[in-house]
Amino acid sequence: MLSDHTVSILIFAGIDVIMALSFYLPASAGQLSAGQGGFMALGAYTAAYLTVHGTPFPLALAAGGLVGGLVGLAVGFPALRLRGLYLVLVTFGFGEMVRVLFLNAPAFGGPAGFAGIPPATTIWHVLGLLIVLVYFFTRVSGSRMGRAFAALRDDEAAAEAMGVNSTYVKLAAFAAGGVIAGLGGALYAHYTLFIDPEAFGVGRSLFVMLYAVFGGLASFWGAVVGAAILSVLPELLRWVKDWREIFYGLLVLTLMLVRPQGLLDATLLARLSLRGERAPARG
Amino acid sequence: MFAQQLVNGLMLGGAYALVAIGYTLIFGVLNLLHLAHGEVFMVGAYVGLVLALAGFPPWVTLAGAMLAAAALGVLVERVAFRPVRNRGSHVTPLITTIAVGLVLQHVVVKIFGAEPVAFPAPFASASLALGPLTLSSLQLLILGTSLALMAALEVFLRSTPTGMAIRATAENQTVAGLMGINVSLAIVITFAIASALAGAAGVLLAWNFTGLSPFFGVKVGLKGLAIMLLGGLGNVTGAMVGGLIIGVVEVMSVAYLASSYRDAFAFAVMILILLVRPTGLFGARLQTG
């Protein structure tokens, strides 16, 4: 069977994919969030707090997702008034505020972090959630809701003219992204067994965005592929030792310059769909 | 007490404003976010550190940091913005600049180590009693330098041909190009100026905090972003006023509330103002990034 080390790499990669999908969902409706680390923190702390106080893991996991979703809904409201980079910046601020909040919450360990979380997450939990998410995204992308997302992203005014309820769709996108990130956080907490606010800071949020955009925003597969590659890449770069981050940065930069639309762009996706499906009309 | 805190806040705010002006100049011209700007600021501060340790006088430290940061900013434009300017979406430069920032951060870690280092004081500071206020000469230098740089920028943008070319480019790139303005050059100059201001802010804040670390740029960079948003995207006056406001709010929150919340206040103020006035304090444009 797989060694412990390999399993841990796979679990972290799986959680990164989950997080990238949580960014992709609102992004597919044109809502860029640079605060996914904040939702992840909420899910992680909620679930960890519950299991430490005796709640069974599945319930705590669900609660983590629920809190992520509720806060996502709350963050969605200012999002109704803001677009593009304004939204990126406000969600950035949201992530920072969540971090500072946990830094100042003694019940959650404050800056010292929250320890003693019972081990619960296995690779099967991560894999199971991923399968559910992939199924969900394949079902959503062709549905009425998925088409409303795409319409809203491409042209908000036109989408509204065609009868898309933009308020409802945006809030749904944000809330669903929050649920996914909350679940990701809950799984993360029960694998690392120790969480502190710094684990979910700006760096986390930016990397989540990096994964999804690197893979390409034309399809949810972009987020999956991007996160999988970029979270395993540091392992493959072990041989460069302490030049690792520099190499990593240069690699990402070069690939983005070569493929500004991300790895899986619309053309590549069309070529990959062998069954001659309708080519994704996004780019 | 209150007046004293106000002065301390203005001093901090002046340096923050310099960083925010850089963001806003670049955003104004390109409509894009430069997420490695905090790292340019940090590298500027380290260049200042090298010069200060070599025994150069304070003004050489400051000028050297500004020059080095300007050169670095132009380089960032060349590798992270220009190649994707007309390709990809407005998210692409977010990613390329995150990558550049990561590289810069770790190059500095490689050279200077990841630990915070002390930054030598520029001179033996004397205090000046002004009624109930106590001002140190270092504080005056920091506040004076940032105000002087802002005034110089304002004059440059308003009344020199290059400044007008930059404003025209920010207004409308295509039309500016048709009017015979070299748009690419205007963009390069904008990056040079924005980065030079960040370099200056790096040295000023390193003097203020008497130290720096390779991760110094992340926090200050975030604050700069919040200030830019507060003042209105692309609005230089807004960034100046916003910087002073955030500096004062931060110092006041430490003095009268809890110091551990200091970093959250900048964002709390930003979000509150945006909810009331989504275009920022001085912004008039629609927020369509």
Side-chain angles (χ1 to χ4, degrees), chain A residues 92-102, chain B residues 263-264 267-269 271:
Chain A
F92 230 50
F94 159 75
E96 263 303 88
M97 286 176 58
V98 171
R99 186 182 67 86
V100 175
L101 208 69
F102 282 115
Chain B
D263 292 327
F267 289 99
V269 169
I271 289 177

Side-chain angles (χ1 to χ4, degrees), chain A residues 19-47:
Chain A
M19 290 307 299
L21 286 172
S22 86
F23 170 86
Y24 172 79
L25 188 63
S28 70
Q31 312 293 303
L32 297 176
S33 160
Q36 294 309 106
F39 296 114
M40 188 181 185
L42 289 164
Y45 273 100
T46 307

Side-chain angles (χ1 to χ4, degrees), chain A residues 23 32 77-94 96-97 99-101 103-105 198 202-203 206-207 209-211 213-214 217 242-243 245-254 256-262 283, chain B residues 27 31-33 35 79-80 83-84 87-92 94-100 102-103 106-107 110 218-219 222 225-226 228-229 232-233 258 260-264 267-268 270-271 274-280 283 285-289:
Chain A
F23 170 86
L32 297 176
F77 277 102
L80 297 173
R81 300 189 66 179
L82 303 163
R83 285 179 204 161
L85 293 175
Y86 269 90
L87 186 58
V88 170
L89 288 167
V90 168
T91 47
F92 230 50
F94 159 75
E96 263 303 88
M97 286 176 58
R99 186 182 67 86
V100 175
L101 208 69
L103 217 47
N104 290 284
E198 301 309 320
V202 178
L206 285 184
F207 266 85
M209 180 162 78
L210 178 78
Y211 294 155
V213 178
F214 180 83
L217 291 178
D242 50 350
W243 290 90
E245 286 86 356
I246 300 176
F247 248 73
Y248 188 91
L250 289 176
L251 260 169
V252 170
L253 177 66
T254 319
M256 279 319 279
L257 295 183
V258 178
R259 294 187 75 83
Q261 303 280 6
Chain B
F27 188 89
N31 263 305
L32 293 173
L33 272 184
L35 288 181
V79 299
V84 291
R87 310 188 294 146
S89 62
H90 61 288
V91 209
T92 314
L94 292 180
I95 304 306
T96 52
T97 50
I98 292 174
V100 168
L102 190 69
V103 172
H106 285 277
V107 166
K110 197 100 187 89
V218 180
K219 274 219 162 79
L222 273 174
L225 282 174
M228 163 174 81
L229 207 63
L233 292 191
S260 48
Y261 280 105
R262 65 185 294 171
D263 292 327
F267 289 99
M270 173 194 94
I271 289 177
L274 282 178
L275 286 177
V276 185
R277 232 186 114 74
T279 50
R285 269 198 285 182
L286 259 172
Q287 62 281 25
T288 45

Side-chain angles (χ1 to χ4, degrees), chain B residues 5 15 31 56 59 63 79 92 104 117 137 226-227 230 236 255 267 276:
Chain B
Q5 299 296 353
N31 263 305
F56 285 103
W59 69 270
V79 299
T92 314
L104 289 177
V117 287
S137 44
I227 293 164
L230 178 66
V236 175
F267 289 99
V276 185

Side-chain angles (χ1 to χ4, degrees), chain A residues 44-250:
Chain A
Y45 273 100
T46 307
Y49 189 83
L50 287 175
T51 48
V52 165
H53 290 82
T55 315
F57 178 58
L59 264 179
L61 191 64
L66 185 69
V67 170
L70 288 176
V71 177
L73 201 60
V75 172
F77 277 102
L80 297 173
R81 300 189 66 179
L82 303 163
R83 285 179 204 161
L85 293 175
Y86 269 90
L87 186 58
V88 170
L89 288 167
V90 168
T91 47
F92 230 50
F94 159 75
E96 263 303 88
M97 286 176 58
V98 171
R99 186 182 67 86
V100 175
L101 208 69
F102 282 115
L103 217 47
N104 290 284
F108 293 101
F114 194 66
I117 306 166
T121 304
T122 64
I123 185 134
W124 304 113
H125 291 111
V126 177
L127 207 62
L129 180 59
L130 275 176
I131 291 170
V132 170
L133 285 176
V134 166
Y135 178 74
F136 167 77
F137 275 100
T138 39
R139 298 293 295 164
V140 151
S141 58
S143 74
R144 190 183 165 82
M145 198 59 166
R147 290 202 303 275
F149 282 176
L152 207 57
R153 179 195 52 194
D154 291 341
D155 190 329
E156 192 170 331
E160 284 196 329
M162 300 306 279
V164 171
N165 182 344
S166 70
T167 305
Y168 171 69
V169 172
K170 280 182 186 175
L171 289 179
F174 254 102
V179 170
I180 301 174
L183 291 171
L187 288 175
Y188 176 87
H190 290 86
Y191 185 70
T192 58
L193 312 184
F194 168 80
I195 49 177
D196 69 345
E198 301 309 320
F200 310 106
V202 178
R204 172 77 63 178
S205 297
L206 285 184
F207 266 85
V208 167
M209 180 162 78
L210 178 78
Y211 294 155
V213 178
F214 180 83
L217 291 178
S219 145
F220 76 91
W221 286 113
V224 175
V225 171
I229 292 179
L230 288 185
S231 65
V232 177
L233 188 61
E235 290 304 317
L236 305 178
L237 286 178
R238 270 182 184 277
W239 54 278
V240 292
K241 301 211 166 68
D242 50 350
W243 290 90
R244 194 149 71 158
E245 286 86 356
I246 300 176
F247 248 73
Y248 188 91
L250 289 176

Side-chain angles (χ1 to χ4, degrees), chain B residues 182-258:
Chain B
N182 185 340
V183 170
S184 295
L185 186 64
I187 291 174
V188 170
I189 295 175
T190 307
F191 268 84
I193 294 172
S195 308
L197 292 177
V203 171
L204 295 180
L205 282 178
W207 278 339
N208 181 37
F209 295 131
T210 66
L212 74 167
S213 90
F215 309 104
F216 189 32
V218 180
K219 274 219 162 79
V220 177
L222 273 174
K223 245 166 242 171
L225 282 174
I227 293 164
M228 163 174 81
L229 207 63
L230 178 66
L233 292 191
N235 189 309
V236 175
T237 320
M240 292 177 186
V241 178
L244 296 176
I245 292 178
I246 293 295
V248 171
V249 167
E250 190 179 315
V251 168
M252 293 291 174
S253 71
V254 174
Y256 295 105
L257 298 158

